[in-house]
Amino acid sequence: MAVLHRGNEGPPVTLGDYEAALTALEAEDVQAVVVGSPDPAVQAMAVAHCEYMSHPKQRKERIFFGGRAWS
């Protein structure tokens, strides 16, 4: 499974990193997806992943949790 690091633990997380993590989750038995990014592109990608995996053909219901950045 992809591991994403933030801050001083590694390079900045990219959109490609999130994409790789969501692709890796396709093979996992998970029911909820949470992204720690307020980036609308990342959240849209996670929503699309959950919608795709929740389709009756995929048979892996998922729900997305996310939100905007705190100001």
Side-chain angles (χ1 to χ4, degrees), residues 7-31:
N8 296 330
E9 296 178 14
V13 180
T14 66
L15 193 58
D17 293 328
Y18 280 103
E19 184 176 19
L22 291 168
T23 298
L25 280 180
E26 289 180 5
E28 301 296 325
D29 182 21
V30 299
Q31 287 72 45

Side-chain angles (χ1 to χ4, degrees), residues 3 15 31-32 40-41 49 64-65 70:
V3 178
L15 193 58
Q31 287 72 45
H49 165 85
F64 167 73
F65 293 96
W70 289 86

Side-chain angles (χ1 to χ4, degrees), residues 9-67:
E9 296 178 14
V13 180
T14 66
L15 193 58
D17 293 328
Y18 280 103
E19 184 176 19
L22 291 168
T23 298
L25 280 180
E26 289 180 5
E28 301 296 325
D29 182 21
V30 299
Q31 287 72 45
V33 174
V34 179
V35 296
S37 171
D39 183 341
V42 172
Q43 292 191 8
M45 191 183 310
V47 168
H49 165 85
C50 290
E51 289 175 348
Y52 172 74
M53 296 306 293
S54 295
H55 189 278
K57 184 177 178 182
Q58 304 305 326
R59 302 182 66 194
K60 293 187 176 182
E61 286 188 5
R62 298 186 179 185
I63 189 168
F64 167 73
F65 293 96

